[in-house]
């Protein structure tokens, strides 16, 4: 009986070691070799709920990154989370989200301003605004979130062209 238990444990140990040895390092464990081309910093008006502020900042930052990719800008874009300091040698896009909420008549409004700071200088890119209809007849808040997505997409629709028109990032790689 002892021998059978020993053999089973040895086989189990061999299987575990073999499976660990055959898998490579995870994608997150590998360092990213590409240099950061742009840093994104998002700020929202202060509220009483700090956790909610961070969630809104995170959600909007990832929408900014997605919009820049959809508009053809290539290169590594890094979101600078609350508490981190941006690298002063890498261009930084600071976004101040004024509102991203449902108004009194049921539209979702998204308004923000953006400032681009590079080693070549600093430029206010202006105010961006987008609106979408809130679909209240949808079954839950997850389905209703499409109104927020559409408003953000509308507001972000000409962010990349304004970055390129600023002239502060002439070497920005653009998709063909």
């Amino acid at each position: 009986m002892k021998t059978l238990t020993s053999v089973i444990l040895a086989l189990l140990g061999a299987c575990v070691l073999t499976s660990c040895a055959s898998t490579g390092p995870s994608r997150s464990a590998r360092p990213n070799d590409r240099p950061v081309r742009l840093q994104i910093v998002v700020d929202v008006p202060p509220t009483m709920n700090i956790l909610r502020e961070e969630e809104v900042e995170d959600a909007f930052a990832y929408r900014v990154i997605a919009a820049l990719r959809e508009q053809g800008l290539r290169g590594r874009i890094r979101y600078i989370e609350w508490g981190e300091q941006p690298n002063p040698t890498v261009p930084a896009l600071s976004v101040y989200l004024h509102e991203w909420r449902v108004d009194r008549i049921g539209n979702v409004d998204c308004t923000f301003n953006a400032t681009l700071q590079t080693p070549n200088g600093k430029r206010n890119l202006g105010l961006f605004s987008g609106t979408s209809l809130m679909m209240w007849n949808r079954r839950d808040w997850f389905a209703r979130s499409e109104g927020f997505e559409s408003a953000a997409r509308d507001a972000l629709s000409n962010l990349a062209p304004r970055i390129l028109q600023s002239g502060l990032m002439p070497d920005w790689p653009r998709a063909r």
Side-chain angles (χ1 to χ4, degrees):
M1 189 67 176
K2 277 185 164 178
T3 313
L4 182 61
T5 307
S6 303
V7 170
I8 290 174
L9 285 174
L11 285 174
L12 186 61
C15 289
V16 168
L17 289 175
T18 305
S19 66
C20 290
S22 65
T23 60
S26 69
R27 183 178 277 277
S28 62
R30 286 182 241 145
N32 195 340
D33 295 340
R34 300 180 327 171
V36 175
R37 299 300 304 252
L38 182 66
Q39 302 173 102
I40 305 290
V41 180
V42 176
D43 195 16
V44 298
T47 65
M48 297 298 283
N49 188 341
I50 295 172
L51 294 176
R52 183 173 175 268
E53 284 178 30
E54 288 179 11
E55 289 175 3
V56 171
E57 288 172 357
D58 293 350
F60 197 73
Y62 289 110
R63 280 160 185 78
V64 170
I65 293 169
L68 291 174
R69 296 250 180 262
E70 289 170 4
Q71 294 170 28
L73 296 181
R74 296 294 172 247
R76 187 168 163 218
I77 302 172
R78 181 172 179 261
Y79 166 53
I80 305 297
E81 294 185 18
W82 186 83
E84 288 183 67
Q85 291 298 319
N87 182 345
T89 62
V90 176
L93 179 69
S94 297
V95 174
Y96 185 78
L97 183 62
H98 295 283
E99 66 178 353
W100 192 23
R101 62 183 177 84
V102 179
D103 65 11
R104 292 181 197 171
I105 61 173
N107 292 326
V108 180
D109 293 326
C110 180
T111 306
F112 69 93
N113 67 323
T115 304
L116 180 63
Q117 181 162 357
T118 69
N120 302 330
K122 182 176 181 177
R123 176 140 327 134
N124 184 350
L125 300 177
L127 187 68
F128 298 81
S129 179
T131 303
S132 176
L133 292 174
M134 173 60 96
M135 298 297 170
W136 290 105
N137 59 351
R138 298 219 173 142
R139 68 185 178 285
D140 58 18
W141 275 104
F142 293 109
R144 292 180 195 141
S145 70
E146 182 58 35
F148 289 90
E149 295 284 336
S150 293
R153 218 174 297 121
D154 186 26
L156 293 163
S157 64
N158 62 353
L159 181 60
R162 285 204 203 168
I163 290 173
L164 294 173
Q165 289 170 357
S166 74
L168 295 174
M169 296 185 65
D171 61 339
W172 185 279
R174 197 166 163 94
R176 308 214 190 281

